[in-house]
Amino acid sequence: MSSSDGRDGENPVCCSSIGFDSGVFAGDRVAIEPGRSCGICARCREGRYNLCPDMKFAASLLQGPNDGTLREWVTYPAGLCHKIPESMTYEEGAMMEPLAVAVHSVRRTQLSAGNKVIVMGAGPIGLLVAAVSRAQGATSITLLDINRSRLDFARSYLAPFPLRTILLTPKPRTSTEDNLDFSQHTVAELGLDEVDVVFECTGAETCVQMSILLARRGGCVMMIGMGAKTQVLPVDVIGTREVDIKGNFRYANAHPSAIALVETGMVSTKELISHRFQLSESIQALELLASGAEGVIKVAIGDF
Ligand SMILES: [Zn+2]
């Protein structure tokens, strides 16, 4: 439906829980935010609704179980629906959720044009963080991973940007060296310059340690990966270099920027979808994802 076929004068769907007009009309193509916050707590009111203690996130067991979206129809608050442009496919629309994570995390680092960036981990979030960093004007991006094929893909994904990739060697299981000693030795061997912002997208203790060691004085480490709850960190480095360690949980107010990045060609997401399944094949899709098979990046489910 468009304004030329009678939309003018129509009322947009109202987002009653938050109290503003959503600007969404029946028939619009949208990408949804799959988390429903309460809308009234202090965190919601200050705009950080991703931190709402009553958040109900689709398919999450937290404050749940909460129904997911693997079904033909879903009722959703209009305020969590974001119109996507005609140039965007539904498949790309589905990718606005992980892209929003990248937008939110990059935003929280206050990364600016000319910054040097390191990304630990070349999974979907690491790739998107690198892409958003490039869009924000980062002039040097180095991506580290233990998987060569992921690094190969990353270079082609961000081409012609001169992405630097480094294949990391995991710590041998037979090693009796402390993780922190191993991380310090690895950083020394790599000989990398310290950078303005490090995005840690693995959660692995050695990668978290290396992230801190690779941040410049006054730099920032953005913790995105979810790893072991207890980890040894070089707190002397954090303190004496004033390295800002920041957490990241999903996103808030990031979907409009994510959509704009794709609409304007600043970031592309469609290359990240490595496999596609129909809704009726959802179990196979989840099994493939869980297998961690080579070449699996993002798995799309739907009748696109
Ligand atoms: Zn709330």
Side-chain angles (χ1 to χ4, degrees), residues 36 38 53 109-110 121 127 136 143 164 201 219 243 255 264 303:
R36 305 186 198 201
C38 78
T109 65
Q110 299 181 316
L127 292 167
Q136 289 295 109
L143 182 58
R164 182 180 183 190
C201 305
V243 175
H255 277 67
T264 57
D303 305 327

Side-chain angles (χ1 to χ4, degrees), residues 87-89 91-93 95-96 99 128 153 157 262 265 267-276 297-298 300:
S87 59
M88 183 179 285
T89 65
E91 207 171 72
E92 289 173 307
M95 287 296 290
M96 293 307 98
L99 182 56
L128 289 170
F153 173 81
Y157 171 56
V262 173
V267 171
S268 179
T269 58
K270 51 182 178 285
E271 298 91 338
L272 300 188
I273 298 174
S274 58
H275 296 76
R276 294 168 175 81
I297 304 176
K298 272 289 182 187

Side-chain angles (χ1 to χ4, degrees), residues 247-288:
N248 186 84
F249 190 56
R250 297 172 183 151
Y251 38 74
N253 306 305
H255 277 67
S257 295
I259 291 168
L261 284 171
V262 173
E263 184 177 16
T264 57
M266 300 285 281
V267 171
S268 179
T269 58
K270 51 182 178 285
E271 298 91 338
L272 300 188
I273 298 174
S274 58
H275 296 76
R276 294 168 175 81
F277 290 87
Q278 298 292 305
L279 182 60
S280 59
E281 302 169 323
S282 296
I283 292 175
Q284 294 98 302
L286 294 171
E287 286 175 344
L288 175 70

Side-chain angles (χ1 to χ4, degrees), residues 31-36 49 57 76 79-82 97 251-256:
I32 66 164
E33 291 190 44
R36 305 186 198 201
Y49 57 85
F57 201 85
Y76 228 76
L80 297 175
C81 299
H82 299 275
E97 203 273 341
Y251 38 74
N253 306 305
H255 277 67

Side-chain angles (χ1 to χ4, degrees), residues 14-303:
C14 179
C15 182
S16 57
S17 65
I18 304 177
F20 64 86
D21 287 342
S22 63
V24 175
F25 290 78
D28 281 344
R29 302 163 70 246
V30 299
I32 66 164
E33 291 190 44
R36 305 186 198 201
S37 57
C38 78
I40 57 174
C41 74
R43 298 290 79 77
C44 282
R45 287 181 179 275
E46 70 180 7
R48 300 181 74 177
Y49 57 85
N50 56 318
L51 304 180
C52 173
D54 293 324
M55 171 68 82
K56 298 189 184 310
F57 201 85
S60 169
L61 293 176
L62 290 172
Q63 287 89 41
N66 303 298
D67 288 337
T69 53
L70 290 179
R71 43 192 164 145
E72 290 182 60
W73 300 94
V74 60
T75 303
Y76 228 76
L80 297 175
C81 299
H82 299 275
K83 277 181 65 174
I84 59 174
E86 287 301 317
S87 59
M88 183 179 285
T89 65
Y90 279 124
E91 207 171 72
E92 289 173 307
M95 287 296 290
M96 293 307 98
E97 203 273 341
L99 182 56
V101 175
V103 167
H104 183 67
S105 62
V106 171
R107 192 182 275 168
R108 276 178 51 69
T109 65
Q110 299 181 316
L111 186 152
S112 56
N115 276 181
K116 293 180 169 56
V117 169
I118 284 177
V119 181
M120 305 293 292
I125 295 298
L127 292 167
L128 289 170
V129 161
V132 175
S133 297
R134 177 189 61 176
Q136 289 295 109
T139 48
S140 166
I141 304 176
T142 304
L143 182 58
L144 296 86
D145 200 287
I146 58 173
N147 184 313
R148 188 184 298 277
S149 65
R150 283 193 165 195
L151 294 175
D152 291 342
F153 173 81
R155 284 193 302 277
S156 67
Y157 171 56
L158 287 184
F161 185 87
L163 178 73
R164 182 180 183 190
T165 57
I166 294 177
L167 183 66
L168 285 174
T169 304
K171 183 184 170 194
R173 291 189 177 177
T174 54
S175 172
T176 56
E177 192 177 27
D178 286 341
N179 273 359
L180 186 53
D181 286 340
F182 173 83
S183 300
Q184 287 169 328
H185 290 157
T186 302
V187 166
E189 282 175 12
L190 292 175
L192 293 172
D193 291 335
E194 294 162 2
V195 298
D196 303 290
V197 181
V198 183
F199 293 95
E200 204 302 303
C201 305
T202 74
E205 184 178 68
T206 51
C207 289
V208 175
Q209 293 165 343
M210 284 191 272
S211 296
I212 294 164
L213 297 170
L214 287 166
R216 67 162 169 80
R217 291 167 185 269
C220 178
V221 174
M222 173 52 70
M223 306 276 285
I224 305 175
M226 298 275 220
K229 288 182 179 177
T230 305
Q231 301 192 2
V232 173
L233 302 183
V235 290
D236 57 327
V237 174
I238 298 170
T240 56
R241 292 194 198 169
E242 290 195 358
V243 175
D244 290 337
I245 311 290
K246 292 192 173 184
N248 186 84
F249 190 56
R250 297 172 183 151
Y251 38 74
N253 306 305
H255 277 67
S257 295
I259 291 168
L261 284 171
V262 173
E263 184 177 16
T264 57
M266 300 285 281
V267 171
S268 179
T269 58
K270 51 182 178 285
E271 298 91 338
L272 300 188
I273 298 174
S274 58
H275 296 76
R276 294 168 175 81
F277 290 87
Q278 298 292 305
L279 182 60
S280 59
E281 302 169 323
S282 296
I283 292 175
Q284 294 98 302
L286 294 171
E287 286 175 344
L288 175 70
L289 200 58
S291 74
E294 184 84 5
V296 177
I297 304 176
K298 272 289 182 187
V299 176
I301 300 173
D303 305 327

